[in-house]
Amino acid sequence: QVQLVEFGGGLVQAGGSLRLSCAASGRTFSDYAMGWFRQAPGKEREFVASIRSGGTTNYADSVKGRFTISRDNAENTVYLQMNSLKPEDTAVYYCFTAPVISNTGRLYWGVGTQVTVSS
């Protein structure tokens, strides 16, 4: 059974930094991308960043230059370093993992971790 456990959310002032981590277990993830979505109150869940096992990354325009995603394949863990945080980054951040090639597996979600950025 695949499980994703997130760590690292919290309250930070605007301009500050936080680091999220997500540990995955239950299968091998070499053929899975890992990453993050977020959902602010009253808004739809939106993509933040993703990374493949080979290191290829993808970012939402809203976080480029401020957030950095990385991955430890040996530990099946993905990280999101968030710098220069803004109040609009406030959201529940959800870790996900999904097959790089669609239809070869399924999407999995973590339970989410709250990030609050005060102005």
Side-chain angles (χ1 to χ4, degrees), residues 32-84:
Y32 273 54
M34 300 180 73
W36 301 87
F37 274 67
R38 67 186 181 186
Q39 188 166 18
K43 295 187 177 181
E44 294 187 353
R45 193 172 297 192
E46 64 175 5
F47 171 79
V48 176
S50 67
I51 185 168
R52 298 187 179 188
S53 60
T56 301
T57 58
N58 192 22
Y59 293 94
D61 288 343
S62 59
V63 307
K64 281 181 181 176
R66 300 188 298 122
F67 291 10
T68 302
I69 191 168
S70 59
R71 176 170 174 167
D72 184 334
N73 291 323
E75 297 294 330
N76 291 327
T77 300
V78 62
Y79 304 94
L80 187 67
Q81 178 66 43
M82 305 185 293
N83 298 330
S84 302

Side-chain angles (χ1 to χ4, degrees), residues 79-107:
Y79 304 94
L80 187 67
Q81 178 66 43
M82 305 185 293
N83 298 330
S84 302
L85 282 161
K86 305 175 182 180
E88 51 264 44
D89 294 317
T90 295
V92 177
Y93 283 69
Y94 296 91
C95 176
F96 78 92
T97 186
V100 172
I101 301 174
S102 59
N103 299 322
T104 62
R106 55 155 289 187
L107 168 68

Side-chain angles (χ1 to χ4, degrees), residues 10-29:
L11 173 65
V12 64
Q13 288 188 331
S17 298
L18 280 176
R19 189 191 195 208
L20 305 182
S21 61
C22 172
S25 62
R27 61 156 289 138
T28 58
F29 295 94

